[in-house]
Amino acid sequence: MNKDSNQASAQGAVEALIASLPPESKLPSYRELQQRYRLSPATVQRTLAALARRGLVVTRPGSGTYTAARRRKAAPADVSWQTLALGSRAGLGPDLERLVEPPPPGVIGMASGFLNERLQPTGLLAAAVSRAARRPQAWNRPASQGLPELRSHFAAEAGAPLTADDVLIVAGGQPALSAVFRHLCAPGDPLVIESPTYIGALAAARAAGLTLVPVPTDRDGVRPAALADALARTGARLAYVQPRYANPTGAVLAPSRRADVLAAAASAGAFVLEDDWMRDFDLGPPSPPPLASADDDGHVIYLRSVSKPVAAGLRVAGLAARGPVLARLRRGRLSDDLFVAPVLQQTALDVLTAPGWDRHLGAVRRALRDRRDALVAAIADRLPGCELDLVPAGGLHLWLRLPGHCSDDAVAAAAAARGLAVSPGRACYPGEAPGPYLRLSYAGEEIPALARGAEILAEVLAGLPPG
């Protein structure tokens, strides 16, 4: 028996002895333990030292070694005092928490918009991480604004007139939203926001204490006249929009509306936060370039995250802005988390610039197009009472309108009981929902599971009382 196994055996034997003795009982002497368990003096000493570190024994100089006093098993903690200490905080509801939690084993996941592992560039990621970890500056402090090469890449994607100097690297899209809302607005300030919109944006805005001002959207994106009216009426200095495959509807801002959206921001002297989270997921013809590429006067703050196209765990994003607003965001972000680890920034850059990245994206788009089409067909076949106002030309979701007598919360709960996770639509509205909707994601499941999901929804709706 080697030294390690001998000590483990001795520790187990002495621990069993301790368990058999009452608290604060004196242990046999070192010599007695040696003789009883046939141990060397050094092994006994190491064993008792290890048990002391675990709090099982205590040594009293000049007296000996004793079993430790045992704390009485406490009753369940009374944490009711925390209710008063915490007070109330608007915006910290469970909607986003439910959205990001992975589905339990055996559950069909059509709630979250993250790609499943089969669509992730695991080979590119593994190679990029290996290279990034070996670089001399992988674990040092980077420039506070981020790696210049990654900033240049994001600026080039966004288009003129942005440069690397206009880009700030942040730890993912959600922290970027939170930083913009908190550092450009004060609690109580109005935020003009599309309705419906991304649940995470609503959660971040509410957590920042902002007053949400919803503006309507349709299949062509946000309505410019309503946006201009909301900015003028409320005096808001910030609007949140998703021009490309908006979450949850899948709408793309029509080319005929783009100049009017920029004009509305210019007229109000306001910023527009452009969340370009779906820039990589055209499933057909290319969608229009970012609004930021046509912004001449610094009204657009551009956000591009890589967590969706690459992997959920790669928390890297770029915020692009021009003028004093960038300094405000940079200093605010420093107060939040200082900087993004260089190894993550370099990994993101290596993946996005790898020779195989475009080929990988092509395969992902084909798979997503097949999944979207299969889910649309299953809905048409199994759910004739439901409507798809739009079959989006890209993105990861379908926005399904339920029959008017349904409750989307009740349908989602009944589906969950049958092993299907979907998102009730009312969580996507800053105010009251105009009707019952479900957001169905086809990013995380294969076609057979998506078809089964449509079947489960049909079973749920068939079991509801008629309207």
Side-chain angles (χ1 to χ4, degrees), residues 333-358:
R333 201 201 63 83
L334 280 170
S335 72
D336 294 338
D337 58 5
L338 296 183
F339 52 78
V340 179
V343 69
L344 288 181
Q345 296 188 53
Q346 190 64 56
T347 296
L349 178 64
D350 282 5
V351 170
L352 295 174
T353 58
W357 174 242
D358 287 341

Side-chain angles (χ1 to χ4, degrees), residues 47-377:
T47 297
L48 293 179
L51 295 172
R53 287 193 295 270
R54 293 173 53 193
L56 297 179
V57 298
V58 292
T59 299
R60 299 173 185 171
S63 178
T65 303
Y66 292 78
T67 58
R70 293 173 197 162
R71 183 179 175 185
R72 256 185 331 142
K73 187 175 182 181
D78 178 8
V79 295
S80 59
W81 64 270
Q82 294 185 6
T83 302
L84 181 61
L86 290 171
S88 63
R89 175 70 64 83
L92 297 182
D95 292 333
L96 185 59
E97 187 176 13
R98 285 195 294 258
L99 195 65
V100 300
E101 283 295 319
V107 171
I108 299 173
M110 294 173 62
S112 181
F114 289 110
L115 301 180
N116 62 5
E117 290 187 0
R118 291 190 179 185
L119 296 185
Q120 294 174 4
T122 51
L124 295 179
L125 267 172
V129 170
S130 178
R131 288 192 300 270
R134 294 196 301 268
R135 291 176 184 269
Q137 303 300 315
W139 304 103
N140 289 343
R141 283 181 302 172
S144 62
Q145 205 161 313
L147 296 185
E149 299 87 350
L150 182 57
R151 288 159 38 208
S152 293
H153 180 82
F154 284 149
E157 284 188 331
L162 294 169
T163 70
D165 290 338
D166 302 318
V167 179
L168 172 67
I169 304 302
V170 291
Q174 193 65 29
L177 293 177
S178 180
V180 172
F181 294 156
R182 289 186 299 106
H183 299 308
L184 300 192
C185 303
D189 282 356
L191 171 69
V192 175
I193 192 164
E194 295 171 318
S195 180
T197 193
Y198 168 49
I199 290 174
L202 293 174
R206 287 170 175 149
L210 305 186
T211 300
L212 301 178
V213 182
V215 292
T217 62
D218 56 28
R219 61 187 301 119
D220 290 323
V222 68
R223 298 178 183 176
L227 175 66
D229 177 68
L231 289 169
R233 179 167 42 86
T234 64
R237 291 294 176 261
L238 180 65
Y240 172 77
V241 300
Q242 303 170 84
R244 196 190 318 251
Y245 308 124
N247 182 353
T249 64
V252 174
L253 184 63
S256 60
R257 293 185 177 183
R258 296 163 65 84
D260 290 337
V261 168
L262 292 174
S267 177
F271 294 104
V272 171
L273 175 55
E274 178 183 12
D275 190 350
D276 198 13
W277 72 293
M278 278 287 96
R279 68 162 294 120
D280 298 292
F281 292 112
D282 287 326
L283 305 185
S287 49
L291 276 178
S293 65
D295 172 37
D296 294 327
D297 301 310
H299 288 282
V300 176
I301 300 168
Y302 177 77
L303 169 59
R304 189 270 203 266
S305 169
V306 304
S307 301
K308 285 293 190 297
V310 181
L314 189 60
R315 308 303 300 167
V316 176
L319 265 179
R322 290 184 296 149
V325 66
L326 183 66
R328 170 79 64 87
L329 291 172
R330 182 177 65 248
R331 290 165 185 163
R333 201 201 63 83
L334 280 170
S335 72
D336 294 338
D337 58 5
L338 296 183
F339 52 78
V340 179
V343 69
L344 288 181
Q345 296 188 53
Q346 190 64 56
T347 296
L349 178 64
D350 282 5
V351 170
L352 295 174
T353 58
W357 174 242
D358 287 341
R359 184 170 62 252
H360 168 76
L361 268 186
V364 170
R365 289 167 178 154
R366 289 190 295 273
L368 289 175
R369 185 166 56 243
D370 291 344
R371 293 181 184 187
R372 178 202 60 190
D373 294 346
L375 183 54
V376 169

